[in-house]
Amino acid sequence: MRTVRIFEHISLDGVIQHGGDRDGDFPYGDWTGPYRSPAGAQLVAEAQGERFDLLLGRRTYDIFAGYWPNQSGPIADGLNSATKHVATHRPDSLRWGPAETLGEDIAAGIRAIKTMDGPNLIVWGSSTLTSVLLDQGLVDELVLLVYPVVLGRGKRLLADRLAARELAFVGSKATATGILMNTYRHVGALQAAS
């Protein structure tokens, strides 16, 4: 069975949104930029592994498709060569490939992909898809790249309607710029204390 791993750049207060004109009135632009380093990129590349496929929401797919095909290096090469499994109602417009649609029932599509042979599945961005994956118990690990900033506003990692989940801490690595790469294993529904 294939493993689903969620990777996310996140502020201390849970914001994952990145700015620019594609995100409306979000004022902070690329708030992660000042903290990135070659050592941090190496940590991410190692955590992703040499071979993986992607699970992406349509909006993240479109953002990535406008950027990554024009980049090179270990992270770009991995993203560009990965099969992109996309939650979309417009499969005909998936130009950055190889790409496939998850189908009308996203959870069923992901369950089917998990049972097939192939590399691990990685989710970048795609906050709506992340909430669906956690709610359906389809996530195996979360890798959170936590930045030493508090943004106060912006899109959060998870939807408010998500049922409570329990995670087990796997490990943490730090960069010299203050980014913590924390890895958690998904345990399941949160059990109330007795």
Side-chain angles (χ1 to χ4, degrees):
M1 179 167 279
R2 299 167 85 174
T3 299
V4 172
R5 302 177 76 214
I6 294 172
F7 280 73
E8 199 65 68
H9 296 277
I10 187 167
S11 69
L12 287 171
D13 57 338
V15 174
I16 62 167
Q17 185 173 359
H18 289 83
D21 55 339
R22 67 179 183 255
D23 266 345
D25 64 352
F26 186 69
Y28 301 116
D30 183 13
W31 53 269
T32 63
Y35 300 94
R36 295 193 184 184
S37 66
Q42 181 65 30
L43 277 179
V44 170
E46 289 171 5
Q48 286 184 144
E50 288 186 26
R51 192 166 169 261
F52 56 87
D53 285 344
L54 293 168
L55 292 175
L56 298 171
R58 182 56 196 243
R59 187 164 189 221
T60 301
Y61 170 86
D62 287 341
I63 292 168
F64 278 23
Y67 179 78
W68 287 110
N70 304 314
Q71 305 302 312
S72 62
I75 292 176
D77 295 346
L79 294 172
N80 286 321
S81 65
T83 298
K84 293 91 178 155
H85 301 277
V86 185
T88 183
H89 298 291
R90 304 179 325 255
D92 299 349
S93 61
L94 297 175
R95 305 271 184 259
W96 178 46
E100 301 174 2
T101 180
L102 290 170
E104 289 187 29
D105 185 336
I106 293 169
I110 294 168
R111 279 188 193 91
I113 292 166
K114 278 189 77 162
T115 63
M116 296 176 188
D117 288 333
N120 288 338
L121 301 160
I122 291 179
V123 180
W124 273 109
S126 306
S127 61
T128 303
L129 184 58
T130 294
S131 293
V132 169
L133 289 165
L134 278 167
D135 203 42
Q136 295 291 316
L138 294 170
V139 173
D140 298 291
E141 281 189 349
L142 280 85
V143 179
L144 301 179
L145 299 150
V146 183
Y147 289 74
V149 298
V150 176
L151 297 173
R153 68 183 220 200
K155 186 187 301 181
R156 307 288 170 167
L157 174 61
L158 302 170
D160 287 340
R161 67 187 179 282
L162 180 71
R165 311 304 292 176
E166 183 178 350
L167 306 173
F169 178 70
V170 173
S172 185
K173 297 179 180 178
T175 69
T177 61
I179 299 170
L180 295 177
M181 185 168 73
N182 298 327
T183 303
Y184 302 90
R185 181 178 42 83
H186 180 247
V187 174
L190 180 66
Q191 301 299 314
S194 36

